[in-house]
Amino acid sequence: MEECIKTYPLAPNITNIDSHLSSVDQHDVWRYSKTNYSKDITSKDSLMMKLRWVTLGYHYDWDNKKYYTDKHSEFPVDLSRLCKYIASVLGYLSFTPEAAIVNYYHMDSTLAGHTDHSELDHDAPLISISFGQDAIFLIGGLTKETKPEAIMLHSGDICIMSEQSRLVYHAVPRIMKSEMNRIEKCILTCNKCIDSYSEQTNLEHNKKSCDKVTDERTCYNQRKQSCDKHSDFGQFDRQSDSAEKSRETSIDEKLFCDYLNCTRINVNIRQVLKPNERFPEHQNDLSCSVESKKLKLDTN
């Protein structure tokens, strides 16, 4: 969730609001929103509330509904590892995450019925991960004549579209209010794990630094007591050497929860090319495609 909000909207990834960002500061959407809308990050004027999608890896071209060789940035390593693991559990051992669209829905958002067929590999599954608010997900058939079935998706749910369902129509007609306590607990639990790991690492490091001390056990215990003193995970503003950082973290957590309280984040990951496959010649260069379209227009 944190990557989707703070990291993925950064360049060179592409967002729906790139053309509206007037300064370098604004390109860090989360930091800019946090600085300028700290009292209400969910304000309609906040950049975070104007953010609707981010593309990763091969950047989907919305106008041509295609991918291009030269329209590409590095796919996030952590997301790639996660998706490879998910795919491997389902038997897709050669799945390679190459493109993703991160969608940011608000409580009044919808997604019309559509199919995902722009990828050249239709054998690989589509992996969809949900965060934040709940959503009603409709999945139908190969044509719109098939009556869709409704599935409720909660934060943390993973939906896989593969085999017969890979090219079927699907939609999101409604975002529903979720149990926010579940999301807040998730954030707090993650922070506990991170802090616990950091303290353990520091403890082991401090223990090693005591190797030259004759009474190593005494030194180790003193260090441990010092760590134990600051292990109250229930407080956001924990006393530490970096009080300012703790304060910033607590502000982040509050704004983070405020934003997720009215937002659903959906990460759609797909493999674009078949193994050892290359793009067709007309999809090698986006600029060539644009020039071709202009030429056709002039001819007409």
Side-chain angles (χ1 to χ4, degrees):
M1 287 192 284
E2 189 169 358
E3 292 289 287
C4 290
I5 292 174
K6 298 181 181 179
T7 308
Y8 294 162
L10 298 175
N13 300 328
I14 299 175
T15 79
N16 66 297
I17 56 174
D18 284 347
S19 60
H20 303 289
L21 303 181
S22 57
S23 69
V24 175
D25 291 340
Q26 287 183 319
H27 281 273
D28 189 335
V29 179
W30 170 257
R31 184 170 292 278
Y32 183 85
S33 298
K34 186 177 71 171
T35 302
N36 293 277
Y37 296 94
S38 58
K39 292 183 179 179
D40 184 13
I41 203 165
T42 63
S43 163
K44 64 178 182 179
D45 296 323
S46 165
L47 284 181
M48 283 305 300
M49 297 305 288
K50 294 179 180 179
L51 180 68
R52 293 308 175 113
W53 55 260
V54 173
T55 56
L56 313 173
Y58 284 113
H59 299 289
Y60 185 66
D61 185 86
W62 301 90
D63 294 329
N64 298 302
K65 300 189 182 304
K66 291 180 179 179
Y67 298 93
Y68 295 90
T69 304
D70 64 336
K71 199 176 179 184
H72 176 269
S73 60
E74 183 181 358
F75 194 90
V77 176
D78 53 353
L79 185 58
S80 176
R81 290 179 61 191
L82 174 63
C83 293
K84 284 182 178 179
Y85 179 78
I86 294 170
S88 69
V89 172
L90 300 173
Y92 294 96
L93 303 181
S94 61
F95 180 77
T96 304
E98 295 176 316
I101 299 175
V102 186
N103 291 308
Y104 303 84
Y105 297 84
H106 302 310
M107 299 310 295
D108 59 349
S109 299
T110 61
L111 180 65
H114 68 285
T115 63
D116 291 308
H117 57 269
S118 298
E119 297 73 30
L120 300 180
D121 187 345
H122 293 160
D123 295 325
L126 289 178
I127 298 177
S128 173
I129 307 174
S130 297
F131 298 121
Q133 299 304 300
D134 298 339
I136 296 176
F137 178 70
L138 296 181
I139 184 165
L142 296 175
T143 67
K144 289 185 177 181
E145 280 66 42
T146 302
K147 184 179 179 180
E149 294 183 14
I151 302 172
M152 180 69 82
L153 294 178
H154 303 287
S155 186
D157 284 350
I158 301 171
C159 179
I160 310 293
M161 295 176 65
S162 62
E163 298 182 0
Q164 294 93 335
S165 69
R166 174 60 181 79
L167 295 173
V168 300
Y169 278 89
H170 52 284
V172 179
R174 188 173 178 184
I175 306 300
M176 309 271 295
K177 201 72 177 171
S178 71
E179 181 188 345
M180 191 56 194
N181 288 339
R182 184 173 69 245
I183 299 172
E184 289 173 337
K185 286 175 183 176
C186 173
I187 295 171
L188 290 173
T189 301
C190 288
N191 287 337
K192 285 180 184 180
C193 292
I194 293 169
D195 290 341
S196 178
Y197 176 79
S198 298
E199 288 191 0
Q200 183 61 34
T201 303
N202 290 335
L203 193 62
E204 291 173 359
H205 173 74
N206 291 333
K207 182 177 181 300
K208 290 177 182 177
S209 68
C210 295
D211 286 344
K212 294 183 181 179
V213 180
T214 306
D215 188 1
E216 181 179 324
R217 183 175 296 278
T218 301
C219 180
Y220 175 78
N221 288 334
Q222 287 174 348
R223 300 273 189 183
K224 184 175 185 303
Q225 287 170 8
S226 176
C227 284
D228 289 342
K229 222 162 121 188
H230 303 298
S231 62
D232 182 11
F233 298 128
Q235 300 296 322
F236 280 144
D237 295 319
R238 293 182 290 274
Q239 294 180 357
S240 66
D241 295 334
S242 54
E244 184 62 28
K245 187 176 180 182
S246 292
R247 189 182 73 82
E248 185 178 350
T249 300
S250 68
I251 293 173
D252 259 23
E253 287 169 343
K254 179 187 179 302
L255 295 178
F256 200 78
C257 287
D258 288 346
Y259 178 71
L260 284 176
N261 197 32
C262 63
T263 306
R264 174 190 181 238
I265 300 173
N266 180 235
V267 191
N268 291 282
I269 307 97
R270 60 282 308 274
Q271 180 172 322
V272 177
L273 299 169
K274 294 181 179 180
N276 303 316
E277 184 182 28
R278 294 183 179 182
F279 281 105
E281 189 174 341
H282 67 278
Q283 285 182 240
N284 283 336
D285 190 345
L286 176 60
S287 60
C288 290
S289 173
V290 173
E291 287 301 320
S292 174
K293 186 176 282 188
K294 285 181 181 177
L295 184 62
K296 185 178 179 183
L297 215 64
D298 294 340
T299 305
N300 292 335

